[in-house]
Amino acid sequence: MLRVLTLSTLFPDATRPNFGGFVERQTLSLAAHPDVDLKVVAPIGLPPGILSRFRHYAPLAKLPHRERWKGVDVHRPRFTALPFTQGRHHAAALERALVPVLDAIRTDFAFDVIDVSYFFPEGPAAVALGKRYGVPVSIKARGSDIHYWGEAPATAAQVREAGQGAAGLLAVSAAMKADMVALGMPADRISVHHTGVDQDRFRPIDDHASAKAKLGVQGPLVIAIGGLLPRKGHDVVIEAVAALPGVSLLIAGHGPARADLEALIARLGVGDRVRLLGALPHADLPALIAAADVSALASESEGLANVWVESLACGTPVVITDAGGAREVVTSPEAGRVTIGDPLAFAAAIKDLLANPPARSATRAMAAGFTWERNTAALYAHLAALVAGYPSRG
């Protein structure tokens, strides 16, 4: 039996049920493996003292320190996240907070490996803790952990050193692996580990007109799913659709750029065709994606976006920028188009797909290799190999 301690700050809780859904699904799938015994440590970073009682921190501070989450034992220790320090002290604070928690866990759960699902701040902390407990550490890079924390002056060295110190590394795409190597991480320790998609939930539908009607849409529909952040490029997609008369756009997500996007929609006069839906439960996404004719995302950077693969599984072709693992997903015209992050280029690609739509079955076939079964098998094999090849533990 492989005893796995999964460590991730990207794990959902009662206040954020949609947070880190991809980490949750990967973790639950691994926990269901017949040869795995797994516990989760999902740390919560809070500012010091009275600051933790304000705004969005208060609900997090009230979460239980330990609970059963969808059948898995989850510990939620707190660590101090000092504001205005660009994260330079987060990993050290996390390590200090985790020592007593992991010491207690090891009294009845002598974990064989620490499986880290995001590079910062848990990566550096886990490498130090791996040495303390004499177990290998695996760290998975997903996107912003490398593209932001791995390049920010205050944290870049910590990310690089964690990558160099881990027994094994995972990357969500070959492009992400190349970015990790460029930061100084060892290529021979990095394996590409693609995401999975629930092929039963994300699948094509037959009656698109009815599905669109339920969304208040008639005619061609483009959808965009992702946080309302400048780097996601929703403004590019809005401007593109504004140039395509009769085409509607629904954007699902929330974030600090909402006001700017609302202003752009008003300025372009497309409020009758472009709507911001806010954050949607993950359970509502299959119906939205399957109803659409095109799924568009003009990201400046990505690892390998789950929504790309979920869209293909629904038979909905994508229009995306050449970011991260885009060309590992769009491998034929049936999958969609990869273009530059320019409104005119996006408008042209969307128009082309609307005029010449691929068969939905052909688009869905492009997602056939992205399954949770394959994801779980690869993760189990990776972790088991690290344990088998690790020096004897003290």
Side-chain angles (χ1 to χ4, degrees):
M1 183 69 69
L2 182 66
R3 293 163 296 187
V4 179
L5 183 82
T6 292
L7 174 63
S8 181
T9 56
L10 290 184
F11 199 83
D13 54 59
T15 72
R16 304 170 296 177
N18 292 336
F19 184 64
F22 43 90
V23 173
E24 178 193 47
R25 181 56 194 267
Q26 176 175 293
T27 301
L28 296 180
S29 295
L30 182 63
H33 191 287
D35 193 38
V36 169
D37 191 5
L38 182 147
K39 293 184 185 295
V40 174
V41 176
I44 297 171
L46 296 172
I50 196 171
L51 292 176
S52 65
R53 303 178 190 174
F54 291 100
R55 296 188 296 182
H56 63 281
Y57 294 116
L60 293 174
K62 295 177 181 178
L63 288 170
H65 284 254
R66 185 177 182 181
E67 64 178 320
R68 297 290 294 181
W69 182 269
K70 299 184 179 180
V72 174
D73 186 17
V74 178
H75 296 253
R76 302 189 186 276
R78 278 54 163 173
F79 70 98
T80 301
L82 291 173
F84 314 116
T85 62
Q86 293 77 52
R88 72 176 71 247
H89 304 300
H90 287 10
L94 177 58
E95 180 189 344
R96 289 193 296 271
L98 288 177
V99 166
V101 176
L102 269 58
D103 281 354
I105 288 174
R106 280 189 72 80
T107 60
D108 59 10
F109 183 73
F111 49 86
D112 301 306
V113 60
I114 301 177
D115 167 38
V116 181
S117 289
Y118 193 71
F119 234 97
F120 192 84
E122 47 266 63
V127 169
L129 292 166
K131 294 176 182 177
R132 176 183 177 88
Y133 300 112
V135 299
V137 171
S138 170
I139 310 175
K140 185 167 185 176
R142 296 185 175 274
S144 61
D145 47 355
I146 295 297
H147 297 144
Y148 179 77
W149 297 111
E151 297 178 2
T155 56
Q158 297 180 55
V159 170
R160 181 178 63 253
E161 290 167 6
Q164 294 169 343
L169 301 167
L170 296 172
V172 294
S173 66
M176 176 61 67
K177 176 177 177 176
D179 290 343
M180 295 163 71
V181 173
L183 289 180
M185 299 183 193
D188 61 345
R189 270 186 259 159
I190 307 173
S191 298
V192 175
H193 186 227
H194 284 151
T195 190
V197 61
D198 188 330
Q199 304 271 347
D200 293 327
R201 292 182 57 238
F202 291 90
R203 59 186 306 110
I205 58 174
D206 295 325
D207 191 347
H208 289 88
S210 296
K212 290 177 183 178
K214 291 179 181 179
L215 298 169
V217 172
Q218 290 183 338
L221 172 61
V222 177
I223 55 103
I225 298 174
L228 303 188
L229 306 167
R231 66 180 176 82
K232 288 292 184 181
H234 292 304
D235 56 331
V236 172
V237 180
I238 291 171
E239 292 188 42
V241 169
L244 299 171
V247 178
S248 297
L249 170 64
L250 300 180
I251 301 176
H254 69 96
R258 184 180 181 104
D260 291 338
L261 297 177
E262 289 174 335
L264 176 61
I265 292 168
R267 178 168 62 80
L268 295 174
V270 292
D272 60 329
R273 296 194 287 123
V274 179
R275 283 185 281 142
L276 303 180
L277 303 178
L280 296 181
H282 196 256
D284 292 348
L285 294 184
L288 174 65
I289 298 172
D293 299 290
V294 175
S295 176
L297 197 59
S299 307
E300 293 178 4
S301 65
E302 287 286 354
L304 193 151
N306 284 53
V307 69
W308 298 345
V309 184
E310 291 168 346
S311 296
L312 299 187
C314 288
T316 303
V318 300
V319 175
I320 57 180
T321 47
D322 194 3
R327 296 191 183 275
E328 296 166 55
V329 173
V330 181
T331 58
S332 78
E334 287 75 20
R337 306 288 185 269
V338 176
T339 186
I340 60 173
D342 173 81
L344 291 179
F346 259 70
I350 292 169
K351 184 177 181 179
D352 180 37
L353 282 172
L354 293 177
N356 304 286
R360 297 229 173 210
S361 58
T363 299
R364 177 174 168 80
M366 297 295 99
F370 295 88
T371 67
W372 285 115
E373 292 79 11
R374 181 174 292 186
N375 175 280
T376 298
L379 181 56
Y380 173 81
H382 168 76
L383 297 177
L386 292 185
V387 172
Y390 200 70
S392 59
R393 300 185 293 277

